[in-house]
Amino acid sequence: MSAPASLRAPAPLRALRRPLGAVAGFWLALVVLAAVFAPVLSPYGYDIQALKEAYQPPSAAHWLGTDEFGRDLLTRLIFGARTSLSVSATAIAVSVFCGMVLGAAAAWFGGWFDRAVTVVADLTWSFPEILIALILVAIIGPGTLGTMIAISVAYLAQFTRLTRAQILTLKGETFIEAARSLGASNGHILFRHLLPNALAPVLVSAMLATGDAIILEATLGFFGLGAQPPVPSWGGMMSAGSALVFKAPWVILFPGLTVAITVVAINLYGDALIAALDIRSRLRRAA
């Protein structure tokens, strides 16, 4: 006999009961904590140059080695986590909020507004995110703000379409008809009944999209369009290390591994969260 819903652990904690979910959650917690406490954990400044110590391999003094300017690679990797994670998470959060508002309004009110939102979302959806991001960064200009705006717009269609589909499915449910018959306003039904029930799939999709956003931010940084020097980012570090792949391979190896492991961890934890929320069964029942 399963425990009552009120006594069950929250879904993020239930996801940790799966072995892969626990490992992925541990890595993500480690990366986030390292980013938050970067000034405390880092023995060096991320922008302090020591040219005499350039190209040092991993050692006791510099655990991950140094780059072409003698800067400690571990320090820049930790501070780079601040840039990459904050830019990606903020951009996805903005995209989720705007996408849910547009998708919910389109599904609820229908008519010409629904058709307009659907056409724009489908048109945006047909282009790769990297192409949209590159066009927007070229218009806005390189930097952290331009990268956040580009990623937000690139993923807006995904959350708009998902929210619209969820609201359209829920509109015909009995509890919505009951709320309407009791005189509930459109705003009350939308914000108290529809959006809360559509929130879980959107949030899980947002978490998985954050992994893609990290790759997109790293790609823009690799092309020199992300955070500008001396602010470190994982993509920018990989870009600098690409010219040193034979002379100092650790300069590109460790940022690349960090990006890869973090993205895989996000996807593994996202899969565990999907299982904990039983989203696949809910979507099959809705279909």
Side-chain angles (χ1 to χ4, degrees):
M1 182 176 180
S2 60
S6 59
L7 299 179
R8 296 172 66 188
L13 294 181
R14 295 202 305 273
L16 296 177
R17 295 173 182 172
R18 295 175 171 266
L20 290 178
V23 173
F26 174 77
W27 173 260
L28 294 177
L30 187 66
V31 172
V32 171
L33 288 175
V36 171
F37 297 103
V40 178
L41 297 174
S42 302
Y44 306 96
Y46 69 82
D47 57 347
I48 295 179
Q49 299 183 9
L51 298 179
K52 292 183 179 180
E53 298 182 6
Y55 307 118
Q56 292 292 316
S59 63
H62 302 282
W63 289 2
L64 300 184
T66 61
D67 62 9
E68 69 274 23
F69 296 109
R71 297 173 298 193
D72 183 67
L73 201 61
L74 178 59
T75 297
R76 290 184 61 78
L77 202 62
I78 293 174
F79 276 94
R82 276 189 159 188
T83 303
S84 297
L85 295 182
S86 62
V87 168
S88 303
T90 302
I92 292 297
V94 173
S95 188
V96 167
F97 176 78
C98 296
M100 290 194 72
V101 170
L102 286 173
W108 181 254
F109 295 108
W112 66 267
F113 183 74
D114 183 27
R115 291 192 294 273
V117 170
T118 303
V119 168
V120 173
D122 289 343
L123 182 63
T124 306
W125 185 263
S126 63
F127 292 97
E129 287 86 357
I130 181 61
L131 179 60
I132 297 174
L134 286 173
I135 293 173
L136 289 174
V137 171
I139 295 173
I140 300 170
T144 301
L145 180 60
T147 301
M148 284 194 292
I149 295 174
I151 295 176
S152 298
V153 176
Y155 288 94
L156 181 60
Q158 174 179 334
F159 301 114
T160 301
R161 287 162 56 96
L162 179 58
T163 304
R164 178 180 177 275
Q166 291 292 310
I167 298 299
L168 286 176
T169 301
L170 293 169
K171 275 179 65 176
E173 295 292 332
T174 305
F175 71 95
I176 298 298
E177 296 296 331
R180 187 181 289 112
S181 65
L182 291 174
S185 64
N186 288 335
H188 179 86
I189 294 174
L190 187 59
F191 290 102
R192 293 295 300 274
H193 298 289
L194 290 176
L195 283 177
N197 283 283
L199 191 59
V202 175
L203 290 182
V204 173
S205 178
M207 181 175 183
L208 297 176
T210 302
D212 296 335
I214 290 175
I215 296 178
L216 183 54
E217 189 276 335
T219 303
L220 293 175
F222 188 87
F223 290 140
L225 301 175
Q228 298 300 293
V231 177
S233 70
W234 290 342
M237 294 172 66
M238 292 170 63
S239 177
S242 62
L244 307 171
V245 65
F246 296 110
K247 184 174 184 179
W250 53 86
V251 178
I252 189 174
L253 177 62
F254 290 120
L257 283 176
T258 304
V259 171
I261 295 173
T262 302
V263 172
V264 170
I266 289 175
N267 282 277
L268 290 176
Y269 185 77
D271 287 341
L273 192 58
I274 288 173
L277 291 169
D278 200 22
I279 288 178
R280 290 191 177 96
S281 297
R282 290 166 56 184
L283 291 178
R284 283 196 295 268
R285 288 195 299 267

